[in-house]
Amino acid sequence: MKHLILIALLAVAVVAGNSMFVIREGERAVLLQFGRVVRSDFTPGLHWKAPFLQNVRKFERRIVTLDKEPQRYLTSEKKDVLVDFFVKWKIKDVSRFYTASAGDERLAESRLDSTSRNALGKEIVKRTLQEV
């Protein structure tokens, strides 16, 4: 009988442990059910979810820096310039971020890197070396 009670208490503890999650001050989160976003407007603190059916993905709320290697560009005068740059970004809408990138921050950074490099290249090619 003692073993049965112990097993029941253990089962209750496992279910309760899988039912709660904590969102910290510097985090944003999405609640997923079978891969679909159910909710994304969490405030910091303790929250509840359906155990084993729902899971939570957490993301950085703070500003993140994307810093890549310097890139060579040509000016309008066809002069070579080596440009070092960085991008500051943060997740504004965590639900849209998750939907667009499947929650993969490396994929998001890769897209942001290529977009910013292309935009920077278009601006530099319009200018002379002196203007750059």
Side-chain angles (χ1 to χ4, degrees):
M1 187 66 168
K2 288 183 181 181
H3 294 302
L4 189 59
I5 292 173
L6 207 81
I7 291 172
L9 286 174
L10 183 63
V12 167
V14 168
V15 169
N18 283 317
S19 298
M20 313 183 244
F21 61 97
V22 175
I23 303 296
R24 291 183 174 72
E25 192 85 21
E27 294 176 331
R28 291 186 185 269
V30 289
L31 180 65
L32 305 169
Q33 185 168 334
F34 305 118
R36 299 182 118 181
V37 177
V38 176
R39 185 174 165 212
S40 63
D41 58 342
F42 293 103
T43 56
L46 181 65
H47 299 279
W48 299 93
K49 66 181 181 82
F52 310 113
L53 296 176
Q54 297 176 330
N55 63 338
V56 176
R57 290 283 311 269
K58 298 177 185 178
F59 302 100
E60 194 69 38
R61 176 184 292 262
R62 297 173 287 200
I63 296 173
V64 181
T65 302
L66 172 65
D67 191 12
K68 295 289 185 173
E69 296 83 32
Q71 182 81 25
R72 286 198 186 280
Y73 294 102
L74 289 176
T75 64
S76 63
E77 305 166 315
K78 305 295 185 217
K79 303 274 184 180
D80 243 0
V81 344
L82 187 62
V83 179
D84 190 11
F85 69 97
F86 62 92
V87 178
K88 296 280 193 179
W89 67 282
K90 75 176 191 173
I91 300 170
K92 183 177 178 182
D93 183 352
V94 72
S95 179
R96 280 185 59 195
F97 173 79
Y98 182 82
T99 304
S101 67
D104 187 1
E105 291 184 34
R106 287 177 297 190
L107 175 63
E109 284 186 350
S110 171
R111 289 178 181 171
L112 186 59
D113 179 43
S114 65
T115 303
S116 58
R117 283 186 193 273
N118 291 339
L120 188 60
K122 286 178 184 177
E123 289 302 314
I124 289 177
V125 80
K126 293 178 190 176
R127 292 170 170 63
T128 65
L129 183 61
Q130 189 69 22
E131 291 172 334
V132 171

Short mmCIF file of all heavy atoms in Angstrom, two decimals, residues 35-97:
data_model
loop_
_atom_site.label_atom_id
_atom_site.label_comp_id
_atom_site.label_asym_id
_atom_site.label_seq_id
_atom_site.Cartn_x
_atom_site.Cartn_y
_atom_site.Cartn_z
N GLY A 35 2.59 22.18 -32.11
CA GLY A 35 3.35 23.01 -33.03
C GLY A 35 2.69 24.32 -33.43
O GLY A 35 3.29 25.12 -34.13
N ARG A 36 1.47 24.56 -33.00
CA ARG A 36 0.77 25.80 -33.33
C ARG A 36 0.80 26.74 -32.13
O ARG A 36 0.66 26.30 -30.99
CB ARG A 36 -0.67 25.52 -33.71
CG ARG A 36 -0.79 24.65 -34.93
CD ARG A 36 -2.22 24.47 -35.26
NE ARG A 36 -2.40 25.04 -36.58
CZ ARG A 36 -3.54 25.09 -37.20
NH1 ARG A 36 -4.62 24.64 -36.61
NH2 ARG A 36 -3.62 25.59 -38.41
N VAL A 37 0.92 28.03 -32.41
CA VAL A 37 0.94 29.03 -31.35
C VAL A 37 -0.46 29.17 -30.77
O VAL A 37 -1.42 29.44 -31.49
CB VAL A 37 1.43 30.40 -31.88
CG1 VAL A 37 1.37 31.45 -30.79
CG2 VAL A 37 2.84 30.27 -32.43
N VAL A 38 -0.56 28.96 -29.45
CA VAL A 38 -1.84 29.09 -28.76
C VAL A 38 -1.93 30.45 -28.07
O VAL A 38 -2.96 31.11 -28.11
CB VAL A 38 -2.01 27.96 -27.70
CG1 VAL A 38 -3.28 28.14 -26.91
CG2 VAL A 38 -1.96 26.61 -28.36
N ARG A 39 -0.80 30.88 -27.48
CA ARG A 39 -0.79 32.14 -26.73
C ARG A 39 0.63 32.68 -26.70
O ARG A 39 1.59 31.91 -26.68
CB ARG A 39 -1.28 31.88 -25.31
CG ARG A 39 -1.42 33.12 -24.48
CD ARG A 39 -2.05 32.82 -23.12
NE ARG A 39 -1.82 33.99 -22.28
CZ ARG A 39 -1.66 33.94 -20.99
NH1 ARG A 39 -1.71 32.79 -20.36
NH2 ARG A 39 -1.45 35.04 -20.30
N SER A 40 0.74 34.02 -26.69
CA SER A 40 2.08 34.60 -26.66
C SER A 40 2.19 35.84 -25.79
O SER A 40 3.24 36.45 -25.74
CB SER A 40 2.53 34.94 -28.08
OG SER A 40 1.68 35.92 -28.64
N ASP A 41 1.15 36.22 -25.12
CA ASP A 41 1.16 37.47 -24.34
C ASP A 41 1.40 37.21 -22.85
O ASP A 41 0.60 37.58 -22.01
CB ASP A 41 -0.16 38.22 -24.54
CG ASP A 41 -1.37 37.38 -24.15
OD1 ASP A 41 -1.23 36.15 -24.07
OD2 ASP A 41 -2.44 37.96 -23.93
N PHE A 42 2.53 36.60 -22.53
CA PHE A 42 2.83 36.27 -21.14
C PHE A 42 3.58 37.40 -20.46
O PHE A 42 4.47 38.01 -21.04
CB PHE A 42 3.70 35.01 -21.07
CG PHE A 42 2.99 33.78 -21.52
CD1 PHE A 42 3.24 33.24 -22.77
CD2 PHE A 42 2.06 33.16 -20.71
CE1 PHE A 42 2.59 32.10 -23.20
CE2 PHE A 42 1.40 32.02 -21.12
CZ PHE A 42 1.66 31.49 -22.38
N THR A 43 3.22 37.64 -19.21
CA THR A 43 3.96 38.57 -18.37
C THR A 43 4.95 37.75 -17.54
O THR A 43 4.77 36.55 -17.38
CB THR A 43 3.00 39.34 -17.43
OG1 THR A 43 2.26 38.38 -16.66
CG2 THR A 43 2.04 40.21 -18.22
N PRO A 44 5.98 38.38 -17.01
CA PRO A 44 6.90 37.62 -16.16
C PRO A 44 6.18 37.02 -14.96
O PRO A 44 5.28 37.63 -14.40
CB PRO A 44 7.92 38.67 -15.72
CG PRO A 44 7.88 39.70 -16.79
CD PRO A 44 6.45 39.75 -17.24
N GLY A 45 6.55 35.80 -14.62
CA GLY A 45 5.94 35.14 -13.47
C GLY A 45 5.66 33.67 -13.75
O GLY A 45 6.12 33.09 -14.73
N LEU A 46 4.86 33.08 -12.89
CA LEU A 46 4.49 31.67 -12.97
C LEU A 46 3.22 31.52 -13.81
O LEU A 46 2.25 32.25 -13.62
CB LEU A 46 4.26 31.10 -11.56
CG LEU A 46 3.89 29.64 -11.46
CD1 LEU A 46 5.03 28.76 -11.95
CD2 LEU A 46 3.53 29.28 -10.03
N HIS A 47 3.24 30.56 -14.74
CA HIS A 47 2.09 30.32 -15.61
C HIS A 47 1.83 28.82 -15.69
O HIS A 47 2.68 28.01 -15.36
CB HIS A 47 2.36 30.88 -17.02
CG HIS A 47 2.60 32.34 -17.03
ND1 HIS A 47 1.59 33.27 -17.01
CD2 HIS A 47 3.76 33.05 -17.03
CE1 HIS A 47 2.11 34.48 -17.02
NE2 HIS A 47 3.44 34.37 -17.03
N TRP A 48 0.64 28.48 -16.20
CA TRP A 48 0.22 27.09 -16.29
C TRP A 48 -0.01 26.69 -17.73
O TRP A 48 -0.36 27.50 -18.57
CB TRP A 48 -1.09 26.89 -15.49
CG TRP A 48 -0.91 27.20 -14.05
CD1 TRP A 48 -1.14 28.40 -13.44
CD2 TRP A 48 -0.44 26.32 -13.04
NE1 TRP A 48 -0.84 28.31 -12.10
CE2 TRP A 48 -0.41 27.04 -11.82
CE3 TRP A 48 -0.04 25.00 -13.03
CZ2 TRP A 48 0.00 26.48 -10.63
CZ3 TRP A 48 0.37 24.43 -11.83
CH2 TRP A 48 0.38 25.18 -10.65
N LYS A 49 0.17 25.39 -17.98
CA LYS A 49 -0.09 24.83 -19.30
C LYS A 49 -0.61 23.41 -19.13
O LYS A 49 -0.49 22.82 -18.07
CB LYS A 49 1.17 24.84 -20.16
CG LYS A 49 2.27 23.92 -19.65
CD LYS A 49 3.50 24.00 -20.53
CE LYS A 49 4.58 23.08 -20.04
NZ LYS A 49 4.40 21.71 -20.48
N ALA A 50 -1.18 22.86 -20.20
CA ALA A 50 -1.63 21.47 -20.17
C ALA A 50 -0.40 20.57 -20.30
O ALA A 50 0.33 20.68 -21.26
CB ALA A 50 -2.61 21.22 -21.31
N PRO A 51 -0.18 19.71 -19.33
CA PRO A 51 1.02 18.87 -19.38
C PRO A 51 0.99 17.89 -20.55
O PRO A 51 -0.07 17.36 -20.88
CB PRO A 51 1.00 18.13 -18.04
CG PRO A 51 -0.42 18.13 -17.63
CD PRO A 51 -1.03 19.39 -18.19
N PHE A 52 2.14 17.70 -21.17
CA PHE A 52 2.35 16.76 -22.26
C PHE A 52 1.66 17.14 -23.57
O PHE A 52 1.98 16.62 -24.61
CB PHE A 52 1.96 15.34 -21.87
CG PHE A 52 2.57 14.91 -20.57
CD1 PHE A 52 1.77 14.68 -19.46
CD2 PHE A 52 3.94 14.76 -20.42
CE1 PHE A 52 2.32 14.28 -18.25
CE2 PHE A 52 4.50 14.37 -19.22
CZ PHE A 52 3.69 14.14 -18.13
N LEU A 53 0.68 18.05 -23.56
CA LEU A 53 0.00 18.49 -24.78
C LEU A 53 0.58 19.82 -25.28
O LEU A 53 0.60 20.07 -26.47
CB LEU A 53 -1.50 18.67 -24.54
CG LEU A 53 -2.30 17.43 -24.20
CD1 LEU A 53 -3.74 17.79 -23.91
CD2 LEU A 53 -2.21 16.42 -25.32
N GLN A 54 0.98 20.65 -24.35
CA GLN A 54 1.49 21.97 -24.70
C GLN A 54 2.94 22.09 -24.25
O GLN A 54 3.34 21.47 -23.27
CB GLN A 54 0.66 23.06 -24.01
CG GLN A 54 -0.78 23.08 -24.45
CD GLN A 54 -1.60 24.10 -23.69
OE1 GLN A 54 -1.32 24.41 -22.55
NE2 GLN A 54 -2.63 24.62 -24.34
N ASN A 55 3.70 22.87 -25.00
CA ASN A 55 5.05 23.18 -24.57
C ASN A 55 5.31 24.66 -24.76
O ASN A 55 4.57 25.35 -25.46
CB ASN A 55 6.10 22.30 -25.27
CG ASN A 55 6.12 22.50 -26.75
OD1 ASN A 55 5.15 22.96 -27.34
ND2 ASN A 55 7.22 22.15 -27.36
N VAL A 56 6.35 25.13 -24.15
CA VAL A 56 6.67 26.56 -24.14
C VAL A 56 8.04 26.77 -24.75
O VAL A 56 8.99 26.06 -24.42
CB VAL A 56 6.64 27.12 -22.69
CG1 VAL A 56 7.05 28.57 -22.66
CG2 VAL A 56 5.28 26.93 -22.08
N ARG A 57 8.15 27.75 -25.65
CA ARG A 57 9.44 28.16 -26.20
C ARG A 57 9.70 29.57 -25.71
O ARG A 57 8.85 30.46 -25.82
CB ARG A 57 9.41 28.17 -27.73
CG ARG A 57 9.33 26.82 -28.38
CD ARG A 57 10.66 26.06 -28.38
NE ARG A 57 11.80 26.81 -28.84
CZ ARG A 57 12.22 26.86 -30.09
NH1 ARG A 57 11.59 26.20 -31.02
NH2 ARG A 57 13.27 27.57 -30.40
N LYS A 58 10.88 29.79 -25.17
CA LYS A 58 11.25 31.09 -24.62
C LYS A 58 12.31 31.74 -25.51
O LYS A 58 13.17 31.05 -26.05
CB LYS A 58 11.80 30.93 -23.21
CG LYS A 58 10.80 30.35 -22.24
CD LYS A 58 11.42 30.15 -20.89
CE LYS A 58 10.46 29.45 -19.94
NZ LYS A 58 11.05 29.21 -18.64
N PHE A 59 12.21 33.07 -25.62
CA PHE A 59 13.13 33.84 -26.44
C PHE A 59 13.58 35.07 -25.67
O PHE A 59 12.91 35.52 -24.74
CB PHE A 59 12.48 34.27 -27.75
CG PHE A 59 11.98 33.11 -28.57
CD1 PHE A 59 10.65 32.77 -28.56
CD2 PHE A 59 12.86 32.36 -29.32
CE1 PHE A 59 10.18 31.70 -29.30
CE2 PHE A 59 12.41 31.28 -30.06
CZ PHE A 59 11.07 30.95 -30.05
N GLU A 60 14.68 35.62 -26.10
CA GLU A 60 15.27 36.81 -25.48
C GLU A 60 14.38 38.03 -25.72
O GLU A 60 13.97 38.31 -26.83
CB GLU A 60 16.66 37.04 -26.09
CG GLU A 60 17.52 37.99 -25.37
CD GLU A 60 17.98 37.48 -24.02
OE1 GLU A 60 18.27 36.28 -23.88
OE2 GLU A 60 18.03 38.29 -23.09
N ARG A 61 14.09 38.78 -24.67
CA ARG A 61 13.30 40.00 -24.78
C ARG A 61 14.21 41.20 -25.02
O ARG A 61 13.81 42.20 -25.61
CB ARG A 61 12.51 40.22 -23.49
CG ARG A 61 11.72 41.51 -23.44
CD ARG A 61 11.04 41.72 -22.10
NE ARG A 61 9.98 40.78 -21.85
CZ ARG A 61 8.70 41.02 -22.06
NH1 ARG A 61 8.30 42.17 -22.51
NH2 ARG A 61 7.80 40.10 -21.80
N ARG A 62 15.44 41.10 -24.58
CA ARG A 62 16.37 42.23 -24.67
C ARG A 62 16.90 42.41 -26.10
O ARG A 62 16.69 41.58 -26.96
CB ARG A 62 17.55 42.00 -23.72
CG ARG A 62 17.10 41.94 -22.27
CD ARG A 62 18.22 41.55 -21.39
NE ARG A 62 18.49 40.11 -21.57
CZ ARG A 62 19.13 39.37 -20.72
NH1 ARG A 62 19.62 39.89 -19.63
NH2 ARG A 62 19.31 38.09 -20.93
N ILE A 63 17.60 43.50 -26.29
CA ILE A 63 18.21 43.79 -27.59
C ILE A 63 19.41 42.87 -27.79
O ILE A 63 20.24 42.71 -26.90
CB ILE A 63 18.63 45.27 -27.66
CG1 ILE A 63 17.39 46.17 -27.59
CG2 ILE A 63 19.42 45.54 -28.93
CD1 ILE A 63 17.69 47.63 -27.49
N VAL A 64 19.49 42.26 -28.96
CA VAL A 64 20.56 41.33 -29.31
C VAL A 64 21.43 41.97 -30.38
O VAL A 64 20.93 42.71 -31.23
CB VAL A 64 19.96 40.01 -29.84
CG1 VAL A 64 21.04 39.01 -30.19
CG2 VAL A 64 18.99 39.41 -28.84
N THR A 65 22.72 41.70 -30.35
CA THR A 65 23.64 42.25 -31.35
C THR A 65 24.04 41.17 -32.34
O THR A 65 24.45 40.09 -31.96
CB THR A 65 24.91 42.79 -30.66
OG1 THR A 65 24.52 43.79 -29.71
CG2 THR A 65 25.85 43.41 -31.67
N LEU A 66 23.91 41.51 -33.61
CA LEU A 66 24.38 40.65 -34.68
C LEU A 66 25.65 41.30 -35.21
O LEU A 66 25.62 42.39 -35.78
CB LEU A 66 23.33 40.55 -35.79
CG LEU A 66 23.75 39.84 -37.07
CD1 LEU A 66 24.03 38.37 -36.78
CD2 LEU A 66 22.69 39.97 -38.12
N ASP A 67 26.78 40.66 -35.00
CA ASP A 67 28.08 41.21 -35.40
C ASP A 67 28.78 40.18 -36.28
O ASP A 67 29.11 39.09 -35.82
CB ASP A 67 28.92 41.52 -34.16
CG ASP A 67 30.16 42.32 -34.49
OD1 ASP A 67 30.28 42.82 -35.61
OD2 ASP A 67 31.01 42.45 -33.59
N LYS A 68 28.97 40.52 -37.54
CA LYS A 68 29.60 39.60 -38.49
C LYS A 68 30.94 40.16 -38.95
O LYS A 68 31.32 41.28 -38.61
CB LYS A 68 28.68 39.39 -39.71
CG LYS A 68 27.40 38.69 -39.36
CD LYS A 68 27.65 37.25 -39.04
CE LYS A 68 26.35 36.52 -38.82
NZ LYS A 68 26.49 35.12 -38.66
N GLU A 69 31.64 39.38 -39.77
CA GLU A 69 32.94 39.81 -40.28
C GLU A 69 32.77 40.99 -41.23
O GLU A 69 31.74 41.14 -41.87
CB GLU A 69 33.61 38.65 -41.05
CG GLU A 69 33.94 37.45 -40.21
CD GLU A 69 32.74 36.53 -40.03
OE1 GLU A 69 31.90 36.45 -40.95
OE2 GLU A 69 32.63 35.93 -38.96
N PRO A 70 33.82 41.81 -41.35
CA PRO A 70 33.77 42.94 -42.30
C PRO A 70 33.55 42.44 -43.73
O PRO A 70 33.96 41.34 -44.09
CB PRO A 70 35.15 43.59 -42.16
CG PRO A 70 35.62 43.17 -40.81
CD PRO A 70 35.04 41.82 -40.56
N GLN A 71 32.91 43.26 -44.52
CA GLN A 71 32.55 42.90 -45.89
C GLN A 71 33.14 43.93 -46.85
O GLN A 71 33.14 45.12 -46.57
CB GLN A 71 31.02 42.89 -46.01
CG GLN A 71 30.49 42.51 -47.34
CD GLN A 71 30.47 41.02 -47.55
OE1 GLN A 71 30.42 40.26 -46.59
NE2 GLN A 71 30.52 40.60 -48.79
N ARG A 72 33.62 43.47 -48.02
CA ARG A 72 34.14 44.37 -49.05
C ARG A 72 33.01 44.83 -49.94
O ARG A 72 32.18 44.05 -50.37
CB ARG A 72 35.17 43.65 -49.91
CG ARG A 72 36.46 43.46 -49.24
CD ARG A 72 37.55 43.16 -50.26
NE ARG A 72 38.77 42.82 -49.60
CZ ARG A 72 39.61 43.70 -49.08
NH1 ARG A 72 39.34 44.98 -49.17
NH2 ARG A 72 40.71 43.32 -48.47
N TYR A 73 33.00 46.15 -50.22
CA TYR A 73 32.03 46.73 -51.13
C TYR A 73 32.77 47.65 -52.09
O TYR A 73 33.86 48.12 -51.80
CB TYR A 73 30.98 47.56 -50.36
CG TYR A 73 30.11 46.73 -49.46
CD1 TYR A 73 30.33 46.69 -48.09
CD2 TYR A 73 29.04 46.00 -49.96
CE1 TYR A 73 29.53 45.94 -47.25
CE2 TYR A 73 28.23 45.24 -49.13
CZ TYR A 73 28.49 45.22 -47.78
OH TYR A 73 27.69 44.48 -46.96
N LEU A 74 32.12 47.93 -53.23
CA LEU A 74 32.66 48.88 -54.19
C LEU A 74 31.85 50.16 -54.11
O LEU A 74 30.62 50.12 -54.05
CB LEU A 74 32.59 48.32 -55.61
CG LEU A 74 33.54 47.19 -55.94
CD1 LEU A 74 33.27 46.68 -57.35
CD2 LEU A 74 34.98 47.62 -55.80
N THR A 75 32.55 51.29 -54.12
CA THR A 75 31.86 52.59 -54.13
C THR A 75 31.45 52.91 -55.57
O THR A 75 31.75 52.15 -56.50
CB THR A 75 32.79 53.69 -53.60
OG1 THR A 75 33.90 53.81 -54.49
CG2 THR A 75 33.26 53.38 -52.19
N SER A 76 30.80 54.05 -55.78
CA SER A 76 30.41 54.47 -57.13
C SER A 76 31.63 54.74 -58.00
O SER A 76 31.56 54.68 -59.22
CB SER A 76 29.52 55.71 -57.06
OG SER A 76 30.23 56.79 -56.51
N GLU A 77 32.77 55.01 -57.38
CA GLU A 77 34.02 55.23 -58.10
C GLU A 77 34.78 53.93 -58.37
O GLU A 77 35.90 53.95 -58.83
CB GLU A 77 34.93 56.16 -57.29
CG GLU A 77 34.31 57.46 -56.91
CD GLU A 77 35.13 58.17 -55.84
OE1 GLU A 77 35.55 57.51 -54.86
OE2 GLU A 77 35.34 59.37 -55.99
N LYS A 78 34.18 52.81 -58.02
CA LYS A 78 34.79 51.47 -58.14
C LYS A 78 36.01 51.31 -57.24
O LYS A 78 36.95 50.61 -57.58
CB LYS A 78 35.16 51.16 -59.60
CG LYS A 78 34.03 51.28 -60.58
CD LYS A 78 32.97 50.24 -60.29
CE LYS A 78 31.90 50.34 -61.39
NZ LYS A 78 30.59 50.12 -60.90
N LYS A 79 35.98 51.96 -56.09
CA LYS A 79 37.04 51.80 -55.09
C LYS A 79 36.58 50.77 -54.07
O LYS A 79 35.42 50.75 -53.67
CB LYS A 79 37.32 53.13 -54.38
CG LYS A 79 37.70 54.27 -55.27
CD LYS A 79 39.16 54.24 -55.51
CE LYS A 79 39.50 55.48 -56.34
NZ LYS A 79 40.87 55.59 -56.64
N ASP A 80 37.52 49.94 -53.66
CA ASP A 80 37.24 48.92 -52.65
C ASP A 80 37.20 49.54 -51.25
O ASP A 80 38.08 50.30 -50.89
CB ASP A 80 38.37 47.89 -52.65
CG ASP A 80 37.89 46.52 -53.05
OD1 ASP A 80 36.69 46.38 -53.33
OD2 ASP A 80 38.72 45.61 -53.07
N VAL A 81 36.18 49.21 -50.47
CA VAL A 81 36.17 49.63 -49.08
C VAL A 81 35.76 48.42 -48.24
O VAL A 81 34.93 47.62 -48.65
CB VAL A 81 35.24 50.84 -48.78
CG1 VAL A 81 34.85 51.57 -49.96
CG2 VAL A 81 34.08 50.52 -48.01
N LEU A 82 36.38 48.29 -47.11
CA LEU A 82 36.09 47.22 -46.17
C LEU A 82 35.21 47.80 -45.07
O LEU A 82 35.63 48.69 -44.34
CB LEU A 82 37.40 46.66 -45.59
CG LEU A 82 37.28 45.42 -44.72
CD1 LEU A 82 36.73 44.25 -45.53
CD2 LEU A 82 38.63 45.05 -44.15
N VAL A 83 33.99 47.29 -44.96
CA VAL A 83 33.02 47.86 -44.02
C VAL A 83 32.74 46.86 -42.91
O VAL A 83 32.37 45.72 -43.15
CB VAL A 83 31.70 48.22 -44.73
CG1 VAL A 83 30.68 48.78 -43.75
CG2 VAL A 83 31.97 49.20 -45.86
N ASP A 84 32.93 47.31 -41.68
CA ASP A 84 32.59 46.53 -40.51
C ASP A 84 31.31 47.12 -39.94
O ASP A 84 31.23 48.34 -39.73
CB ASP A 84 33.72 46.59 -39.48
CG ASP A 84 33.53 45.61 -38.35
OD1 ASP A 84 32.64 44.74 -38.46
OD2 ASP A 84 34.25 45.73 -37.34
N PHE A 85 30.32 46.31 -39.69
CA PHE A 85 29.05 46.82 -39.19
C PHE A 85 28.44 45.82 -38.22
O PHE A 85 28.86 44.67 -38.13
CB PHE A 85 28.08 47.10 -40.34
CG PHE A 85 27.59 45.86 -41.03
CD1 PHE A 85 26.37 45.30 -40.69
CD2 PHE A 85 28.35 45.25 -42.01
CE1 PHE A 85 25.92 44.15 -41.32
CE2 PHE A 85 27.90 44.10 -42.65
CZ PHE A 85 26.68 43.55 -42.30
N PHE A 86 27.45 46.28 -37.49
CA PHE A 86 26.69 45.41 -36.59
C PHE A 86 25.24 45.84 -36.64
O PHE A 86 24.92 46.95 -37.04
CB PHE A 86 27.25 45.45 -35.16
CG PHE A 86 27.16 46.79 -34.52
CD1 PHE A 86 26.07 47.13 -33.75
CD2 PHE A 86 28.19 47.72 -34.67
CE1 PHE A 86 25.98 48.38 -33.14
CE2 PHE A 86 28.12 48.95 -34.07
CZ PHE A 86 27.01 49.28 -33.31
N VAL A 87 24.37 44.94 -36.22
CA VAL A 87 22.93 45.20 -36.22
C VAL A 87 22.41 44.90 -34.83
O VAL A 87 22.70 43.85 -34.25
CB VAL A 87 22.20 44.31 -37.25
CG1 VAL A 87 20.70 44.54 -37.21
CG2 VAL A 87 22.75 44.52 -38.64
N LYS A 88 21.65 45.82 -34.28
CA LYS A 88 20.96 45.62 -33.01
C LYS A 88 19.51 45.28 -33.33
O LYS A 88 18.86 45.98 -34.09
CB LYS A 88 21.00 46.89 -32.15
CG LYS A 88 22.37 47.32 -31.72
CD LYS A 88 22.81 46.51 -30.56
CE LYS A 88 24.04 47.13 -29.92
NZ LYS A 88 24.47 46.37 -28.79
N TRP A 89 19.01 44.18 -32.75
CA TRP A 89 17.64 43.78 -33.02
C TRP A 89 17.02 43.11 -31.80
O TRP A 89 17.72 42.67 -30.90
CB TRP A 89 17.58 42.85 -34.24
CG TRP A 89 18.22 41.53 -34.04
CD1 TRP A 89 19.56 41.24 -34.07
CD2 TRP A 89 17.57 40.28 -33.77
NE1 TRP A 89 19.77 39.91 -33.85
CE2 TRP A 89 18.58 39.29 -33.66
CE3 TRP A 89 16.24 39.91 -33.61
CZ2 TRP A 89 18.28 37.96 -33.40
CZ3 TRP A 89 15.95 38.58 -33.35
CH2 TRP A 89 16.96 37.63 -33.26
N LYS A 90 15.70 43.09 -31.80
CA LYS A 90 14.98 42.37 -30.75
C LYS A 90 13.65 41.90 -31.29
O LYS A 90 13.15 42.39 -32.31
CB LYS A 90 14.79 43.23 -29.50
CG LYS A 90 13.75 44.29 -29.58
CD LYS A 90 13.62 44.99 -28.23
CE LYS A 90 12.41 45.87 -28.19
NZ LYS A 90 12.17 46.41 -26.88
N ILE A 91 13.09 40.94 -30.62
CA ILE A 91 11.82 40.35 -31.03
C ILE A 91 10.69 41.23 -30.51
O ILE A 91 10.54 41.40 -29.30
CB ILE A 91 11.67 38.92 -30.49
CG1 ILE A 91 12.80 38.05 -31.01
CG2 ILE A 91 10.32 38.35 -30.87
CD1 ILE A 91 12.89 36.69 -30.35
N LYS A 92 9.93 41.80 -31.42
CA LYS A 92 8.81 42.64 -31.03
C LYS A 92 7.53 41.82 -30.85
O LYS A 92 6.83 41.94 -29.86
CB LYS A 92 8.59 43.72 -32.10
CG LYS A 92 7.50 44.70 -31.79
CD LYS A 92 7.42 45.75 -32.86
CE LYS A 92 6.30 46.73 -32.60
NZ LYS A 92 6.20 47.72 -33.65
N ASP A 93 7.23 40.98 -31.82
CA ASP A 93 6.04 40.12 -31.78
C ASP A 93 6.51 38.68 -31.80
O ASP A 93 6.88 38.14 -32.84
CB ASP A 93 5.14 40.43 -32.97
CG ASP A 93 3.86 39.64 -32.96
OD1 ASP A 93 3.70 38.72 -32.12
OD2 ASP A 93 2.98 39.92 -33.81
N VAL A 94 6.53 38.03 -30.65
CA VAL A 94 7.09 36.69 -30.52
C VAL A 94 6.29 35.65 -31.31
O VAL A 94 6.85 34.69 -31.83
CB VAL A 94 7.25 36.30 -29.03
CG1 VAL A 94 5.92 36.04 -28.38
CG2 VAL A 94 8.16 35.11 -28.87
N SER A 95 5.01 35.85 -31.46
CA SER A 95 4.18 34.93 -32.23
C SER A 95 4.56 34.98 -33.71
O SER A 95 4.73 33.93 -34.35
CB SER A 95 2.71 35.29 -32.04
OG SER A 95 1.90 34.43 -32.79
N ARG A 96 4.71 36.17 -34.25
CA ARG A 96 5.13 36.31 -35.65
C ARG A 96 6.55 35.80 -35.85
O ARG A 96 6.87 35.20 -36.87
CB ARG A 96 5.04 37.77 -36.09
CG ARG A 96 3.64 38.19 -36.43
CD ARG A 96 3.55 39.58 -36.98
NE ARG A 96 4.37 39.72 -38.19
CZ ARG A 96 4.70 40.87 -38.72
NH1 ARG A 96 4.31 41.99 -38.15
NH2 ARG A 96 5.42 40.94 -39.81
N PHE A 97 7.42 36.06 -34.88
CA PHE A 97 8.80 35.58 -34.96
C PHE A 97 8.81 34.06 -35.03
O PHE A 97 9.50 33.47 -35.86
CB PHE A 97 9.61 36.06 -33.76
CG PHE A 97 10.98 35.47 -33.70
CD1 PHE A 97 12.00 35.96 -34.50
CD2 PHE A 97 11.27 34.41 -32.84
CE1 PHE A 97 13.26 35.40 -34.46
CE2 PHE A 97 12.52 33.85 -32.79
CZ PHE A 97 13.53 34.35 -33.60
#
